[in-house]
Amino acid sequence: MLKTRLKKLSVALSVLGLAISGVATTQGTAQAASYGWVYISFPKWLGNCPNATVKGIQAYTNYWSTNWDMGDDLVYGKVALGQRNTIIGNLLCKRRTGGYYQAVARYDVVPTRNKQTVWIGPGGWTRN
């Protein structure tokens, strides 16, 4: 029983060590990045808010987050230019008779310039 617990603890510490080293490596790479601000849109044409309208966004990138930006399908977020950025979003979808929340899957996008628009949804992502 003690052997089993020690083995589980050893595995858990190994996984934790790998996770920490991965974060350190990622942060080291990001330090050299050029940063910019891009428009992040969650449009209906990419499958967001079926039978409703996007009225609120809670979104995260590697370098920025917003706590419920209300009114439309667009936020302005900080990203590393020319590198992969993880974007995760939750949407408030409104109908005449109520509304619902939609979780947007995690997308890794690569913005290439400042003030670029990145469109994200269940149908994938694209940029201008």
Side-chain angles (χ1 to χ4, degrees), residues 35-105:
Y35 298 100
W37 290 82
V38 298
Y39 297 97
I40 304 167
S41 178
F42 298 88
K44 289 186 64 61
W45 55 267
L46 272 174
N48 293 301
C49 293
N51 303 313
T53 303
V54 177
K55 286 297 182 181
I57 302 169
Q58 180 184 44
Y60 307 88
T61 73
N62 301 53
Y63 309 99
W64 166 91
S65 68
T66 182
N67 189 24
W68 291 110
D69 179 87
M70 304 301 280
D72 58 16
D73 70 355
L74 189 70
V75 292
Y76 199 54
K78 185 177 182 181
V79 295
L81 300 174
Q83 294 187 12
R84 186 174 67 192
N85 294 267
T86 300
I87 298 178
I88 300 171
N90 296 306
L91 306 178
L92 173 61
C93 304
K94 287 287 196 171
R95 297 181 194 155
R96 277 190 235 177
T97 58
Y100 61 94
Y101 293 98
Q102 173 188 326
V104 177

Side-chain angles (χ1 to χ4, degrees), residues 13-31 62-63 84:
L13 290 174
S14 295
V15 169
L16 180 62
L18 287 173
I20 290 171
S21 67
V23 168
T25 302
T26 301
Q27 288 181 351
T29 302
Q31 294 297 328
N62 301 53
Y63 309 99
R84 186 174 67 192

